[in-house]
Amino acid sequence: VQLVESGGGLVQPGGSLRLSCAASGFSIDDYAIGWFRQAPGKEREGVSCISMKDGSTYYADSVLGRFTISVDNAKNTVYLQMNSLKPEDTAVYYCAAPWARNYCIRTELLGLSMLETDYWGQGTQVTVSS
């Protein structure tokens, strides 16, 4: 089982990035996928997740309206489109399939709860700075 993130980098405030999370060793049809981030000196936080059961998506309030999560089942890949980036979005971004089921719940995303698997990527750095 492997999750590999890509697409991070340095971007100016107001800019955009698209992160990719390529899964191998399992089918993302069977697992909800979440995006998480951790800024220096801060705890890891849930950003967004997508339920493969019905396509439902959930977001943290801080990114709602700016970030969009999507999936390409044929490529076994999940994306996070990030627009209108702010300096406070600077963090290492991780994708994960942590809930051992094909749906996610917003309260569990935000509370980092019911994390039952070790299916995490290595992270990709996003830096928003002028």
Side-chain angles (χ1 to χ4, degrees), residues 27-123:
S27 172
I28 59 174
D29 292 346
D30 298 327
Y31 290 88
I33 301 295
W35 283 97
F36 302 80
R37 67 186 182 186
Q38 188 164 18
K42 295 187 177 181
E43 294 186 351
R44 188 170 296 187
E45 62 175 341
V47 174
S48 180
C49 67
I50 183 165
S51 293
M52 302 306 170
K53 181 178 182 180
D54 58 7
S56 297
T57 57
Y58 302 98
Y59 300 91
D61 287 343
S62 59
V63 306
L64 188 63
R66 300 188 298 123
F67 290 13
T68 303
I69 191 170
S70 62
V71 61
D72 186 332
N73 296 91
K75 294 183 178 180
N76 222 34
T77 299
V78 173
Y79 303 96
L80 186 68
Q81 177 67 43
M82 306 187 296
N83 299 328
S84 302
L85 283 162
K86 305 175 181 180
E88 50 265 43
D89 294 318
T90 295
V92 177
Y93 283 71
Y94 302 88
C95 69
W99 296 289
R101 45 175 151 82
N102 66 354
Y103 65 93
C104 58
I105 300 172
R106 188 173 184 269
T107 52
E108 293 178 352
L109 169 70
L110 300 182
L112 296 178
S113 59
M114 300 300 291
L115 305 183
E116 301 169 301
T117 78
D118 294 326
Y119 299 171
W120 288 78
Q122 82 290 348

